[in-house]
Amino acid sequence: MPKARLTPASVTEAAAALVDEVGFDNLSMGLLAERLGVRTPSLYKHVTSQAELAHRIAVLAMTEAGDVIRDAIQGRSGSNALAAGAQAMRTYVREHPGRYAAANATRPTGPDDPFIPASERVLASWAAMLSGYDLDPAQEIHAMRTLRSVLHGFATLEAAGGFQIDASVDESFTWLINFIDQGLRAGAANGSDVGR
């Protein structure tokens, strides 16, 4: 059977699948080449370095995460959008822990970096999740940072097997969403006095 023709996109997809399986820290060009059934030097025709490959995985991850959150909240608002978007992010991190780790390890390299619009997709999805709470515009960035921190912490702990106590993780997640919902409602009601 002839090998599939490699492209930068197909190499990135294969690498993303690999890091989801073995962990982002275990990514290597040699392991990827073995997985693709090619010699390692062949990969460098499609990506210039392992660092570039990791960056491409991060762009892919942010694009995918933004899209799954956006799709989950479509037609919803308030607590329904929050619950659906948060669950979409949780599921994405659980199913794609390596990609998600790549995205968190990446910083933009310049103004034309494709990581910037990919990251903006996620921010736009989070902003849409929060739009039903009527937050003061000055509060929105604080709400997004809080939401990201809480969801990131829960999802990465869960993906790493960090919840060992014999209690339902799903119930804990529901409790978390209700807690965030109440906080956002209180923040909207109290306006700019929150956090002072």
Side-chain angles (χ1 to χ4, degrees), residues 7 89 121 132:
T7 65
M89 180 175 168
R121 282 172 108 110

mmCIF file of all heavy atoms in Angstrom, residues 7 89 121 132:
data_model
loop_
_atom_site.group_PDB
_atom_site.id
_atom_site.type_symbol
_atom_site.label_atom_id
_atom_site.label_comp_id
_atom_site.label_asym_id
_atom_site.label_seq_id
_atom_site.Cartn_x
_atom_site.Cartn_y
_atom_site.Cartn_z
ATOM 1 N N THR A 7 1.795 16.564 3.819
ATOM 2 C CA THR A 7 1.702 18.009 3.644
ATOM 3 C C THR A 7 1.936 18.626 5.021
ATOM 4 O O THR A 7 1.866 17.916 6.032
ATOM 5 C CB THR A 7 0.306 18.430 3.146
ATOM 6 O OG1 THR A 7 -0.656 18.109 4.172
ATOM 7 C CG2 THR A 7 -0.066 17.732 1.840
ATOM 8 N N MET A 89 -15.574 22.681 26.533
ATOM 9 C CA MET A 89 -14.147 22.846 26.811
ATOM 10 C C MET A 89 -13.621 21.661 27.610
ATOM 11 O O MET A 89 -12.549 21.127 27.310
ATOM 12 C CB MET A 89 -13.890 24.141 27.573
ATOM 13 C CG MET A 89 -12.417 24.344 27.872
ATOM 14 S SD MET A 89 -12.079 25.911 28.646
ATOM 15 C CE MET A 89 -10.390 25.616 29.169
ATOM 16 N N ARG A 121 -10.482 33.302 18.508
ATOM 17 C CA ARG A 121 -11.684 32.461 18.365
ATOM 18 C C ARG A 121 -12.174 31.976 19.720
ATOM 19 O O ARG A 121 -13.366 31.967 19.999
ATOM 20 C CB ARG A 121 -11.383 31.230 17.511
ATOM 21 C CG ARG A 121 -11.326 31.459 16.048
ATOM 22 C CD ARG A 121 -10.831 30.178 15.396
ATOM 23 N NE ARG A 121 -11.878 29.504 14.692
ATOM 24 C CZ ARG A 121 -11.948 29.409 13.385
ATOM 25 N NH1 ARG A 121 -11.027 29.976 12.653
ATOM 26 N NH2 ARG A 121 -12.925 28.767 12.816
ATOM 27 N N GLY A 132 -24.857 36.828 28.029
ATOM 28 C CA GLY A 132 -26.173 36.805 28.672
ATOM 29 C C GLY A 132 -26.166 37.290 30.106
ATOM 30 O O GLY A 132 -27.227 37.399 30.731
#
